[in-house]
């Protein structure tokens, strides 16, 4: 009997099952904190250096398309500037109307700026590790965005000084969303790679390619109006009760190094 | 000293895995540096001598992962034991094709066990998780991609150690 327990495989399995038990009881939280704290400095630096190298390589690869991209961006910029002017006018009008009918003005959310210090060690999930945690006021289910109100994901685990966030591209992520122009609602799920799947879109409705998809705020988990992406392809079959669309995310997750956590 | 160096190499590899390696992804699959190093370590040394390193690294990988805790450790230990057994009984000489075959089997078994254990943990209510779509094609890419990196790393190790031995 003693010999069996001395076998390296049996011994290994016993140790692992003990660790799983300890983790279930929450007794490994201090180990998490010590490990993340001691490795965060090296991790953050290596992550930032890798990100810069990756961006530089991508820049070299795309150098021949820069001229055309520049013209397109200038055009987009002009369009966006005219839209900003239009929206500012609408915002002013909205404030005046709210004051007239006695509605309180909308409060802007409090944001915490955090740095991404690592990614998931397995390829099966899409998670980021950020350098802020319980001590900074972060809680589970808080929403994470990138600059420009772009939806990144949600906090799923919080430690003292660190948190784990699940990206919207993870297959476990579910976000209630709507197409901004038409108001058609559906459910955004993580798909293959960095693409998203827009499921449960009603049959018979016209879904335009390149339409902007935003959060609908239906479940209450995600605030309404956060940018998700653009419709890339619509897969419609009369045999199914709903339509499915492929959505291209607005966030380039490979270039992301700073994100904001929305404090409720 | 040697054990200390091996442990340090693995800890550095773990940090690289969660930072730099994720940028080397091809078709949404990035190389699993830790798995490759563990499998090569098992091929070069016996499981009974390094089992505790495998557990330690599996534990740290679990800390860094969002999938159910323990899944990676269990998969890593069992696939390492399988590779050790195959290495001792079926494959004997350290040849090019043998390394590819063992790493390929190791990566395949590791991924399959990862899925089985995660589903088991979900079944007993310890966690909830949905897997990504096209798992089969994903695993095939993992096997090919990791085998390719394993060959590069194996020959790099061989060259460094041979150089050291000859010096």
């Amino acid at each position: 009997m003693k010999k069996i327990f001395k076998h390296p495989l049996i011994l290994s399995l016993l140790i692992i099952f003990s660790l799983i038990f300890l983790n279930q009881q929450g007794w490994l939280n201090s180990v998490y904190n010590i490990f993340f704290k001691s490795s965060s400095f090296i991790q953050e630096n290596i992550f930032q250096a890798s990100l810069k190298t990756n961006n530089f390589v991508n820049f070299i690869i795309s150098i021949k398309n820069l001229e055309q991209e520049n013209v397109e961006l200038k055009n987009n910029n002009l369009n966006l500037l005219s839209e900003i002017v239009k929206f500012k006018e609408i915002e002013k009008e909205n404030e005046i109307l709210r004051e007239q009918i006695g509605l309180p003005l909308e409060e802007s959310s409090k944001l915490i700026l955090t740095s991404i210090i690592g990614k998931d060690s397995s390829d099966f999930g899409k998670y980021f590790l950020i350098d802020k945690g319980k001590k900074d006021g972060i809680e589970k289910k808080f929403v994470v965005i990138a600059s420009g109100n772009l939806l990144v994901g949600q906090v799923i685990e919080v430690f003292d000084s660190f948190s784990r966030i699940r990206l919207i591209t993870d297959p476990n992520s579910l976000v209630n969303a709507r197409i901004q122009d038409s108001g058609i609602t559906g459910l955004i799920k993580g798909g293959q790679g960095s693409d998203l799947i827009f499921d449960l879109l009603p049959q018979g409705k016209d879904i335009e390619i390149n339409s902007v998809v935003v959060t609908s705020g239906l479940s209450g988990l995600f605030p309404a109006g956060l940018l998700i992406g653009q419709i890339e392809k619509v897969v419609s079959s009369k045999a199914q009760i709903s339509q499915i669309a492929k959505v291209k995310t607005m966030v380039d997750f490979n270039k992301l190094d700073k994100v904001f956590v929305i404090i409720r | 000293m040697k054990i200390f160096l091996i442990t340090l190499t693995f800890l550095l590899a773990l940090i690289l895995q969660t930072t730099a390696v994720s940028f080397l992804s091809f078709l949404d699959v990035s190389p699993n540096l830790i798995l490759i190093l563990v499998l090569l370590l098992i091929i070069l040394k016996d499981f009974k001598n390094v089992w505790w390193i495998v557990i330690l690294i599996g534990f740290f990988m679990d800390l860094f992962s969002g999938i159910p805790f323990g899944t990676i450790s269990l998969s890593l230990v069992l696939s390492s034991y399988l590779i050790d057994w195959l290495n001792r009984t079926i494959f004997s000489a350290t040849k090019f094709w043998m390394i590819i075959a063992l790493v390929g089997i190791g990566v395949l078994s590791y991924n399959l066990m990862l899925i089985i254990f995660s589903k088991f943990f979900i079944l007993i209510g310890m966690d909830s998780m949905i897997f990504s779509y096209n798992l089969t094609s994903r695993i095939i890419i993992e096997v090919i991609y990791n085998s390719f990196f394993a060959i590069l790393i194996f020959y790099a190790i061989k060259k460094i150690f041979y150089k050291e031995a000859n010096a």
Side-chain angles (χ1 to χ4, degrees):
Chain A
M1 192 68 180
K2 265 186 182 175
K3 254 188 178 176
I4 294 173
F5 288 109
K6 276 185 180 171
H7 191 281
L9 181 68
I10 306 293
L11 204 59
S12 307
L13 294 177
L14 279 173
I15 293 171
I16 294 168
F17 282 115
S18 312
L19 287 170
I20 294 171
F21 174 75
L22 292 175
N23 186 59
Q24 280 293 305
Q25 303 302 314
W27 294 339
L28 289 183
N29 282 357
S30 50
V31 181
Y32 275 99
N33 287 324
I34 293 166
F35 186 69
F36 288 147
K37 220 170 195 175
S38 52
S39 67
S40 68
F41 177 72
I42 311 167
Q43 246 192 305
E44 193 174 351
N45 283 309
I46 296 178
F47 186 82
Q48 295 295 336
S50 317
L51 193 67
K52 278 178 190 160
T53 316
N54 189 49
N55 288 347
F56 180 71
V57 172
N58 285 340
F59 171 74
I60 298 290
I61 293 167
S62 63
I63 215 156
K64 60 178 179 184
N65 303 325
L66 281 182
E67 204 176 327
Q68 200 195 334
E69 206 178 309
N70 196 25
V71 174
E72 280 173 19
L73 285 172
K74 274 182 180 170
N75 285 336
N76 279 345
N77 198 25
L78 282 174
N79 290 337
L80 288 171
L81 279 172
S82 67
E83 281 200 10
I84 287 172
V85 172
K86 206 166 78 187
F87 285 134
K88 279 195 173 165
E89 288 301 313
I90 295 170
E91 197 183 2
K92 265 186 193 171
E93 206 178 290
N94 188 31
E95 277 177 22
I96 294 164
L97 287 171
R98 273 178 176 269
E99 272 174 12
Q100 276 182 351
I101 57 170
L103 272 176
L105 292 177
E106 275 184 3
E107 277 181 37
S108 53
S109 322
K110 195 190 162 198
L111 301 174
I112 294 182
L113 177 68
T114 68
S115 294
I116 296 166
I117 55 163
K119 294 185 177 181
D120 198 81
S121 60
S122 76
D123 252 351
F124 282 91
K126 284 167 185 156
Y127 307 92
F128 276 164
L129 203 65
I130 53 169
D131 66 345
K132 298 268 160 50
K134 261 182 212 161
K135 283 179 185 169
D136 309 280
I138 292 175
E139 284 174 28
K140 237 177 168 178
K141 292 190 177 174
F142 275 7
V143 176
V144 182
I145 58 167
S147 58
N149 256 7
L150 306 174
L151 182 64
V152 172
Q154 199 176 23
V155 177
I156 55 153
E157 238 175 316
V158 191
F159 306 101
D160 282 352
S161 318
F162 305 89
S163 306
R164 205 191 309 272
I165 56 172
R166 179 190 282 147
L167 306 185
I168 48 168
T169 49
D170 185 86
N172 293 276
S173 161
L174 295 171
V175 183
N176 282 301
R178 70 178 160 85
I179 298 171
Q180 200 175 31
D181 292 334
S182 60
I184 299 169
T185 57
L187 197 64
I188 287 278
K189 297 173 184 174
Q192 192 72 26
S194 58
D195 288 325
L196 300 166
I197 293 163
F198 201 1
D199 204 356
L200 303 177
L201 294 164
Q203 272 292 4
K205 299 258 182 181
D206 270 343
I207 293 151
E208 281 180 38
I209 306 292
N210 288 333
S211 309
V212 175
V213 180
V214 295
T215 50
S216 66
L218 265 181
S219 63
L221 283 174
F222 296 89
L226 298 176
L227 279 172
I228 298 176
Q230 278 180 301
I231 304 267
E232 200 176 38
K233 192 180 166 190
V234 182
V235 187
S236 185
S237 161
K238 281 182 181 166
Q240 288 171 321
I241 50 162
S242 59
Q243 297 185 83
I244 293 172
K246 207 170 147 186
V247 173
K248 196 170 172 51
T249 51
M250 292 224 177
V251 185
D252 187 348
F253 291 101
N254 281 327
K255 288 181 180 167
L256 213 58
D257 64 337
K258 297 259 191 291
V259 287
F260 298 94
V261 180
I262 303 177
I263 304 288
R264 282 186 214 153
Chain B
M1 188 62 188
K2 218 173 186 179
I3 292 294
F4 174 73
L5 275 176
I6 292 172
T7 315
L8 203 69
T9 309
F10 271 102
L11 286 175
L12 184 69
L14 181 70
I15 289 170
L16 284 176
Q17 182 69 47
T18 56
T19 53
V21 175
S22 56
F23 291 103
L24 297 173
S25 67
F26 170 69
L27 294 172
D28 200 34
V29 171
S30 42
N32 195 331
L33 196 61
I34 310 283
L35 178 64
I36 294 169
L37 287 175
V38 165
L39 293 176
L40 290 178
L41 186 73
I42 297 295
I43 293 169
L44 298 169
K45 295 197 174 264
D46 278 354
F47 179 80
K48 63 176 184 220
N49 296 325
V50 292
W51 64 272
W52 62 272
I53 297 179
V54 181
I55 291 186
L56 192 73
I57 286 308
F59 170 68
F60 285 137
M61 275 181 88
D62 271 322
L63 290 185
F64 267 114
S65 170
I67 66 173
F69 186 89
T71 314
I72 295 180
S73 305
L74 280 172
S75 311
L76 205 59
V77 163
L78 289 175
S79 49
S80 300
Y81 188 75
L82 174 75
I83 292 308
D84 182 56
W85 180 79
L86 287 173
N87 194 22
R88 278 185 287 113
T89 53
I90 299 170
F91 303 90
S92 50
T94 313
K95 283 179 184 163
F96 179 77
W97 288 109
M98 189 208 82
I99 306 282
I100 296 180
L102 282 175
V103 171
I105 295 167
V107 175
L108 183 71
S109 59
Y110 171 79
N111 280 292
L112 290 176
M113 280 181 219
L114 215 60
I115 296 164
I116 293 166
F117 285 123
S118 296
K119 291 209 167 175
F120 172 72
F121 286 136
I122 295 161
L123 204 72
I124 60 169
M126 272 170 69
D127 220 304
S128 63
M129 189 187 171
I130 303 162
F131 280 98
S132 74
Y133 308 88
N134 301 330
L135 270 179
T136 319
S137 59
R138 209 196 151 86
I139 291 174
I140 293 168
I141 301 166
E142 286 244 9
V143 171
I144 297 168
Y145 202 29
N146 283 311
S147 302
F148 168 72
F149 269 91
I151 295 159
L152 292 182
I153 294 169
F154 177 75
Y155 280 103
I157 293 171
K158 219 175 155 187
K159 211 169 182 184
I160 294 163
F161 279 95
Y162 267 104
K163 258 188 184 175
E164 268 184 16
N166 291 335

